[in-house]
Amino acid sequence: MTIIRREVLTLPGVLPGPVNPLPPLRPPAETHTLDERSKAGLPLDMTRQLGYRPLRSLLPTRLVDGYGRDRQPVGLDTIVLENDRLRVTVLPGLGGRVRSLFHKPTGRELLYRNPVFQPAAFALNGAWFSGGIEWNIGATGHTTLACAPLHAARVPAPDGGEMLRLWEWERLRDLPFQVDLWLPEGSDFLYVGVRVRNPHEKPAPVYWWSNIAVPEERRVLAPADSAWHFGYEQHLSREPVPNSRGADRSYPLNSEYAADWFYDVPDGRRRWIAALDDAGQGLVQTSTDTLRGRKLFVWGTGSGGRRWQEWLTEPGTGGYAEIQAGLARTQLEHVRLEAEGEFSWLEAYGPLGADAGAVHGTDWGGAVGEVERRLEAALPRDAVDAAYEAWRPHADTEPGERLAAGSGWGALEVLRTGVKLEGTPFDEATLGPAQEPWRTLLETGAFPEPRKVGPPGPSLVSAPWRDMLETAPARPLSEYHLGVAQWHAGDRAQAVRSWERGLELAPSLWPLLRCLAVADAADGHGERAADRYAEAFDDLCAERRDDGEVWLTATAALGREAIEALLAVGRTAAARSVWQRLHPATRARGRFRFLEVELLVAEGESAAARAVFDEGFEVADLREGAEVIGEMWDRVAPGEPLPARYDFRMRPGS
């Protein structure tokens, strides 16, 4: 029977670091946007879901961008599930990621297992890491929970053993979800039951993709003859499978540039995807039909793709591709979940062996048929459907022993709504300091002013909380949070008025001034935005009490934005003044070394800027698809080839 235990895994790595205290008022930096011309001729249901409530704001979450790249041994809490066939290692404090799926009879690791823990700026809100199986919920992109803790507990499994339940409240869409993992006795397959619920009175957009990292020296097979191709040129096109654009794209190393291949699996066909090596051995994932989409992501063999692979792990340790399964055909879509409704399905992950000659033959239909027959023999489609039906009543079972704690945001929403979610309790005991002032607002109608000076805590922006803030006494901090909520709702003029009212009485001006600066910049008033940023930074420097983490983080975050705003309007002396007041440890970080290059170029010091490049720096929070380093290199060293260490180009012609 399944054994569930807690362990600690020690890896070379860096922790995600402190959360950025500035609310993310700007739209998310998203590379997965689609050229409108690509929508012509797409299936009607796909077109509808492409336009259904795409993400416009990262609020109420905050950016996680305080990590570096100086790796030291770090201890990560794990939960291990094990039967006589499989050993599964889960990271409850990091989005519930399945780090390892080890098949004991063959001694094979079925996933790509990253030998380091290195955050990078791939999640919608920043910190993310590669490897394993990731549970992606929220909106197009990697979940904001990638480096966040989930609740975890033991729960009775359908076969009488135990299963591991993970659950949390996803805040971008305000939706609770759960992931149940168990290993039936004697099974070579990990079963995963997933449920996403909408407890609200209005429909909600849902996004879910299970991302599975596998070694890239594989052939990826799925039951489809065509796929929707998406590169970083923002174009979606239907392509034949496997041969497209002069190469067999079912082999990840046959692509030069990073790309997504969304397989067009016909209705009625069994849902599965497999990644098999030269010997026909590897991993297969299958599911009930609700999880309709299947995808292959490749980094490609180009210099930029290889650099990203090194960036996310250790050079020389091998690359990875991702096979994925989702609710929609593509990751550019969001699916409507009706009020008080739910989506649920079952996934299965396990080893698959097939005839290597058939798997790697030129007959695609024969290769797919071979894998499909082997899968049916190992785990019949009817058995997956039966396992789902057996699990479904257990999804409401109350958890037993708690193994890990997530956030208190779900508990706060349960307090506000009174909703009871069977199987996923959000206990009052999980409420913490971040939720406490909001609980006070809920219970008293007034938002409390802070007892000591410091950056404001996180904001809540949904309509019910906004309504409470609008009727609360007009104090500086409540006006600040009200403005953030109004900004999120699209009422920018009212947000500005709220922030301006807060300024009249606020003892701490810089948080409000920074919000007003963002509003000025969004309206095209660059000079006024620069003035506000300069004033905000002056106020912060006068207010900060020490060089502790809280103040260092706030100064770095505001200083970076202020320098960028001042440079945007040509005020280099003022930008240099901000730079000089940053802490030396902040100026030494790679992101700020690159900012120094921008500052030196603006000052006409091209030789000094080139010297910073030559000395070397690493922008730890460089975003996926970003090309700013290459663009700056062209200004500093026109005509010279971009050094490999700075080459993160992900598309042709970049």
Side-chain angles (χ1 to χ4, degrees):
M1 301 293 284
T2 300
I3 297 171
I4 299 177
R5 64 181 182 275
R6 284 181 284 194
E7 294 184 353
V8 175
L9 172 69
T10 301
L11 289 176
V14 293
L15 296 177
V19 173
N20 188 319
L22 306 182
L25 301 177
R26 296 180 177 87
E30 180 51 64
T31 58
H32 301 92
T33 54
L34 189 61
D35 187 319
E36 286 297 318
R37 292 169 296 181
S38 292
K39 295 183 180 179
L42 297 179
L44 291 179
D45 63 330
M46 183 185 291
T47 302
R48 183 173 59 252
Q49 291 180 168
L50 286 169
Y52 181 53
R53 295 179 62 181
L55 191 69
R56 304 297 186 194
S57 170
L58 292 177
L59 291 165
T61 65
R62 288 190 166 188
L63 297 178
V64 183
D65 57 5
Y67 50 86
R69 292 185 58 81
D70 183 16
R71 292 195 282 265
Q72 303 291 332
V74 296
L76 304 177
D77 291 333
T78 71
I79 300 175
V80 177
L81 295 81
E82 190 167 9
N83 67 1
D84 58 336
R85 312 290 292 178
L86 288 172
R87 183 168 62 247
V88 184
T89 304
V90 178
L91 301 171
L94 297 167
R97 182 82 58 98
V98 175
R99 181 177 186 270
S100 171
L101 184 60
F102 184 77
H103 188 232
K104 293 154 74 171
T106 60
R108 287 177 174 267
E109 173 59 56
L110 301 179
L111 305 174
Y112 167 76
R113 186 172 56 189
N114 197 331
V116 304
F117 175 63
Q118 177 58 63
F122 280 57
L124 288 164
N125 65 334
W128 172 90
F129 62 104
S130 65
I133 306 173
E134 174 187 6
W135 315 115
N136 262 312
I137 182 173
T140 299
H142 291 280
T143 177
T144 60
L145 296 168
C147 287
L150 304 190
H151 301 282
R154 299 177 191 267
V155 183
D159 62 355
E162 285 189 320
M163 62 183 175
L164 171 65
R165 174 163 299 160
L166 306 167
W167 73 98
E168 190 43 283
W169 196 285
E170 200 286 314
R171 301 180 67 212
L172 290 179
R173 304 301 198 182
D174 247 352
L175 300 176
F177 71 98
Q178 72 188 80
V179 179
D180 289 353
L181 304 95
W182 78 100
L183 297 169
E185 185 176 5
S187 174
D188 282 319
F189 284 83
L190 168 67
Y191 286 179
V192 181
V194 182
R195 178 165 62 167
V196 181
R197 287 185 274 188
N198 178 11
H200 307 297
E201 297 177 351
K202 295 181 180 180
V206 174
Y207 172 93
W208 182 283
W209 283 80
S210 302
N211 291 10
I212 309 139
V214 293
E216 63 185 351
E217 300 87 356
R218 299 288 186 270
R219 189 178 204 191
V220 174
L221 302 103
D225 295 321
S226 63
W228 298 96
H229 171 264
F230 180 81
Y232 286 75
E233 305 97 331
Q234 301 181 334
H235 182 69
L236 190 65
S237 61
R238 191 167 186 164
E239 307 271 349
V241 171
N243 296 303
S244 174
R245 307 184 185 196
D248 184 339
R249 304 297 177 175
S250 64
Y251 293 93
L253 293 174
N254 281 354
S255 293
E256 184 178 1
Y257 291 98
D260 299 328
W261 298 89
F262 298 103
Y263 295 106
D264 197 2
V265 180
D267 290 341
R269 194 79 181 264
R270 183 176 186 179
R271 263 58 185 168
W272 60 268
I273 190 167
L276 305 180
D277 63 16
D278 289 345
Q281 303 291 320
L283 172 76
V284 66
Q285 186 270 2
T286 187
S287 71
T288 48
D289 290 350
T290 296
L291 203 65
R292 68 176 298 187
R294 292 298 185 275
K295 171 193 162 183
L296 165 64
F297 167 75
V298 299
W299 278 111
T301 58
S303 55
R306 303 328 292 171
R307 181 68 179 115
W308 275 116
Q309 292 267 33
E310 294 176 349
W311 186 255
L312 297 171
T313 182
E314 287 280 8
T317 58
Y320 75 96
E322 284 187 358
I323 58 175
Q324 304 181 13
L327 282 174
R329 280 194 185 95
T330 75
Q331 288 175 328
L332 308 177
E333 303 168 65
H334 298 91
V335 182
R336 178 185 174 106
L337 178 57
E338 298 299 335
E340 300 180 351
E342 68 175 52
F343 291 135
S344 62
W345 63 90
L346 185 124
E347 305 180 46
Y349 298 80
L352 189 78
D355 179 76
V359 166
H360 296 283
T362 57
D363 178 6
W364 175 252
V368 169
E370 164 67 8
V371 174
E372 208 153 36
R373 286 188 294 273
R374 298 283 186 149
L375 172 58
E376 186 65 20
L379 184 64
R381 184 177 187 177
D382 289 347
V384 174
D385 293 337
Y388 169 75
E389 295 299 333
W391 164 73
R392 191 60 191 80
H394 290 262
D396 286 341
T397 302
E398 289 303 299
E401 179 192 0
R402 304 303 169 90
L403 301 174
S407 78
W409 296 113
L412 187 66
E413 289 303 316
V414 167
L415 273 181
R416 181 185 66 80
T417 62
V419 65
K420 180 172 177 57
L421 296 165
E422 300 290 344
T424 55
F426 293 94
D427 302 326
E428 279 193 53
T430 62
L431 292 167
Q435 293 83 38
E436 201 54 45
W438 297 96
R439 181 177 186 173
T440 300
L441 173 65
L442 181 66
E443 293 175 346
T444 69
F447 198 92
E449 287 296 301
R451 296 177 181 175
K452 61 180 182 178
V453 174
S459 300
L460 292 179
V461 297
S462 66
W465 290 107
R466 187 173 71 248
D467 291 344
M468 280 185 263
L469 288 167
E470 286 176 344
T471 58
R475 299 168 182 165
L477 195 54
S478 61
E479 293 292 335
Y480 163 83
H481 287 300
L482 175 58
V484 173
Q486 291 165 333
W487 182 270
H488 175 265
D491 192 351
R492 293 187 173 187
Q494 192 59 54
V496 168
R497 284 193 284 271
S498 296
W499 291 327
E500 288 175 339
R501 283 197 305 270
L503 271 179
E504 296 173 3
L505 297 173
S508 181
L509 303 181
W510 65 266
L512 293 153
L513 288 168
R514 182 264 175 178
C515 290
L516 290 167
V518 174
D520 286 333
D523 289 338
H525 303 304
E527 288 287 354
R528 194 163 69 198
D531 288 339
R532 303 256 208 199
Y533 266 120
E535 187 180 354
F537 192 75
D538 289 344
D539 185 68
L540 172 58
C541 289
E543 181 178 285
R544 63 186 179 191
R545 296 295 185 261
D546 51 45
D547 288 335
E549 181 179 84
V550 170
W551 291 108
L552 274 179
T553 302
T555 304
L558 183 59
R560 173 179 167 181
E561 289 188 12
I563 291 171
E564 291 170 344
L566 290 162
L567 288 178
V569 295
R571 291 162 60 173
T572 55
R576 175 61 71 179
S577 173
V578 172
W579 169 265
Q580 290 170 340
R581 284 177 285 168
L582 295 174
H583 194 277
T586 299
R587 294 199 298 263
R589 289 166 51 188
R591 165 57 66 182
F592 289 85
R593 295 302 309 281
F594 180 66
L595 196 57
E596 183 183 16
V597 170
E598 295 183 70
L599 185 55
L600 288 167
V601 168
E603 293 170 332
E605 300 289 343
S606 295
R610 171 62 185 267
V612 177
F613 265 106
D614 292 342
E615 185 178 340
F617 58 85
E618 293 184 319
V619 181
D621 62 333
L622 186 69
R623 287 207 68 84
E624 177 188 9
E627 298 177 354
V628 291
I629 295 180
E631 292 166 356
M632 184 57 67
W633 172 261
D634 287 340
R635 295 181 63 186
V636 170
E640 294 188 37
L642 180 64
R645 68 181 299 175
Y646 301 122
D647 186 356
F648 294 92
R649 295 171 291 191
M650 297 178 67
R651 59 192 174 97
S654 62

